[in-house]
Amino acid sequence: MAAVHRTAGQGHVADYIPALATADPNAFGMALATVDGEVHGVGDWERPFSIQSVSKLFSLALVLAHGGDAIWRGVGREPSGNPFNSLVQLEKEHGIPRNPFINAGALVVTDRLQSLTGDAAGAVRDFLRTESGNPLLATDPAVAASEAAHGHRNAALAHFIAAHGNLENPVETVLDRYYAHCSIAASCRDLALAGRFLARHGLRADGSRLMTGSEAKRVNAVLLTCGAYDAAGEFAYRVGLPGKSGVGGGIVAILPGRATLCAWGPRLDAVGNSVAAVAALDAFTTATGWSVF
């Protein structure tokens, strides 16, 4: 993992959510879960961390599983070209977020999941528990409270979306459920196992079908083009896999038909992606030749 060692000291731990600023900046872990259920890991791969925007992958999958393609009437599938919490693009495009992985899009997805399940955060948590086999996986209340206390921009996004008639539930409910699923604490092991349904063409750990193979392909496509904030092109260039990052330092990446990877390092680059996790995934795909290209 020489590429990871070269990143030591680069980047900064997220501090705009104060509860995340306490993360160990030198922590690093990585896990691989194969489609057949083998799990391998290195470093702090079983140490829980705040999954943050990685949760958006699972909330979208659950909305598609419960409600089909209706979600795409309220959110697009194009890269944003702007920061993940930008207000400018949302105003220009009349309350329709550009994709489900920027904050505005994830709020719409959370809203729809709330309508479909009655508890959007609980649905994400229960899915992660079942797929990972970890019944202790849960929201970190301190992180959720910290996000809520400093979530003025997210509140502005939600109110703007609601003003355009693109939310079904009260803004306060949507924000609460959004913070709760972003504040779930999970390990690289947990997330690699939970994301296997995308490597297994829609099949869950027990062999039941969460979504069709075509739907899994489409989720992977949106991950590839939109999953790494405003650096999705750079991530595709370096890593060559569909992936979703979070400002907690985690990145889940999909090897369709083979495995799911999760790498974690709290230090972030200027865009909000983990410096160490990107370097580790880059090194992995370079060494193995495994990518979608």
Side-chain angles (χ1 to χ4, degrees):
M1 303 298 286
V4 179
H5 290 304
R6 286 197 296 271
T7 69
Q10 296 181 20
H12 302 278
V13 173
D15 57 8
Y16 68 94
I17 301 171
L20 297 184
T22 62
D24 177 0
N26 299 314
F28 172 76
M30 186 171 178
L32 178 146
T34 72
V35 293
D36 297 323
E38 293 183 33
V39 187
H40 308 275
V42 296
D44 301 308
W45 69 295
E46 295 185 294
R47 181 173 170 182
F49 60 90
S50 188
I51 70 173
Q52 293 297 308
S53 287
V54 174
S55 71
K56 297 172 183 176
L57 157 60
F58 300 103
S59 60
L60 175 63
L62 290 170
V63 166
L64 289 169
H66 283 85
D69 285 346
I71 185 62
W72 301 123
R73 293 196 289 268
V75 63
R77 298 187 292 267
E78 296 294 333
S80 67
N82 284 298
F84 58 85
N85 58 358
S86 173
L87 286 155
V88 176
Q89 194 167 59
L90 189 62
E91 180 173 10
K92 181 180 178 182
E93 298 180 355
H94 310 292
I96 305 294
R98 185 64 70 89
N99 68 68
F101 298 139
I102 55 175
N103 288 17
L107 288 166
V108 173
V109 172
T110 300
D111 172 66
R112 302 304 193 268
L113 187 58
Q114 182 69 20
S115 295
L116 289 164
T117 67
D119 182 3
V124 174
R125 179 203 62 215
D126 291 348
F127 180 82
L128 292 174
R129 284 178 174 177
T130 299
E131 297 303 294
S132 68
N134 179 3
L136 301 179
L137 187 150
T139 291
D140 183 328
V143 176
S146 185
E147 290 201 45
H150 297 83
H152 304 301
R153 184 174 288 267
N154 284 327
L157 289 168
H159 281 291
F160 197 91
I161 295 166
H164 283 273
N166 198 16
L167 287 186
E168 298 171 351
N169 297 280
V171 166
E172 293 75 16
T173 300
V174 175
L175 289 170
D176 178 73
R177 298 295 81 197
Y178 173 73
Y179 295 139
H181 71 66
C182 286
S183 299
I184 289 171
S187 67
C188 292
R189 175 195 176 277
D190 295 332
L191 292 174
L193 284 168
R196 283 194 310 147
F197 71 95
L198 286 174
R200 287 162 54 89
H201 309 298
L203 291 180
R204 298 185 62 165
D206 65 1
S208 64
R209 185 164 288 283
L210 179 70
M211 58 179 56
T212 68
S214 179
E215 287 170 333
K217 176 198 71 175
R218 290 169 179 166
V219 172
N220 279 328
V222 182
L223 283 172
L224 182 67
T225 58
C226 306
Y229 303 131
D230 193 25
E234 178 68 12
F235 186 80
Y237 178 82
R238 288 186 61 185
V239 177
L241 295 174
K244 183 70 199 87
S245 60
V247 296
I251 302 178
V252 170
I254 311 300
L255 286 150
R258 288 182 181 267
T260 298
L261 291 155
C262 180
W264 170 58
R267 292 182 187 269
L268 310 178
D269 62 21
V271 178
N273 294 320
S274 168
V275 175
V278 172
L281 292 167
D282 180 6
F284 178 90
T285 55
T286 299
T288 62
W290 292 1
S291 84
V292 297
F293 300 110

